[in-house]
Amino acid sequence: MKKIIFPALAGFLFVFTSCEDHMAASSDSGKDSTQAKNLAAFETVSRAFDSGDPSGIDSVIADDYVDHTDHGEVKGKDSLKAMIVMMHKSFADMKTETLNTATSGDYVYGWMRYKGTSDGSMGMPPGPYNMTGIELVKFNNDNKAVEHWAFMDMQDMMKMMGPQPAMKGMDTTMKK
């Protein structure tokens, strides 16, 4: 069960990481303003994960927020707040790096790198980790996050989890 929990919970984290890139100027200043607000909201939640303090996210997360995970939908702002606290306890030294971001309409996309040390409590072995993922967040007209999807790099996940019993000694190359 713990092996399933980590990827689902990590999805919450990935959506809310720091944005270092700024969007390019366009001819539609209203669109630019909305996208800039959405990027700022993305950064607000990232800071909450970094600090472990979810008190500042109320202004950027909709009450009906939904995280779409491999194991079903997780709903509500309070669920995200609980996740922020839990992730910070399990990965207190976690550092996020934004590799790239983009906005398109109501969506913010982020290519993220996460490094730190797991305490072993969330289904991954204790010790260091280094992984990447793509985060997708949909915002409403009030610039509040309403939906989230995470797409994790499976190669990074497999490296973090280490060899699984069924794969030990198995040739996983594509040799003919």
Side-chain angles (χ1 to χ4, degrees):
M1 179 69 173
K2 286 185 178 182
K3 288 182 181 181
I4 295 171
I5 292 173
F6 176 74
L9 297 179
F12 279 115
L13 171 67
F14 295 139
V15 67
F16 302 112
T17 57
S18 63
C19 293
E20 295 172 0
D21 295 345
H22 299 283
M23 59 179 200
S26 75
S27 60
D28 184 356
S29 64
K31 182 178 177 182
D32 283 350
S33 175
T34 295
Q35 291 176 343
K37 288 177 184 177
N38 292 347
L39 282 170
F42 199 82
E43 292 174 5
T44 296
V45 178
S46 174
R47 286 189 300 272
F49 272 101
D50 289 343
S51 70
D53 179 9
S55 63
I57 71 166
D58 286 327
S59 65
V60 297
I61 302 294
D63 291 333
D64 59 349
Y65 170 82
V66 177
D67 185 37
H68 302 279
T69 73
D70 293 344
H71 308 290
E73 296 179 346
V74 178
K75 299 180 180 182
K77 188 186 308 188
D78 289 337
S79 295
L80 179 59
K81 287 179 176 183
M83 178 56 54
I84 290 169
V85 171
M86 184 172 34
M87 293 290 288
H88 189 71
K89 286 180 182 176
S90 297
F91 310 103
D93 69 341
M94 180 181 59
K95 303 292 182 222
T96 60
E97 176 187 1
T98 301
L99 301 174
N100 204 335
T101 59
T103 61
S104 178
D106 297 335
Y107 292 89
V108 172
Y109 306 83
W111 178 25
M112 319 309 289
R113 176 177 313 282
Y114 303 90
K115 294 180 180 182
T117 307
S118 169
D119 69 2
S121 67
M122 292 186 65
M124 64 185 281
Y129 63 89
N130 180 352
M131 54 193 255
T132 58
I134 300 291
E135 302 303 319
L136 170 61
V137 183
K138 182 178 182 181
F139 288 85
N140 64 17
N141 291 336
D142 295 326
N143 306 104
K144 291 187 176 188
V146 292
E147 293 184 82
H148 165 257
W149 298 263
F151 307 94
M152 301 187 54
D153 185 326
M154 293 310 295
Q155 290 178 347
D156 287 349
M157 286 296 296
M158 294 302 290
K159 288 177 200 172
M160 279 190 332
M161 300 307 286
Q164 300 300 306
M167 296 185 73
K168 287 183 180 176
M170 184 171 148
D171 183 0
T172 59
T173 62
M174 298 297 286
K175 297 178 197 173
K176 285 190 172 189

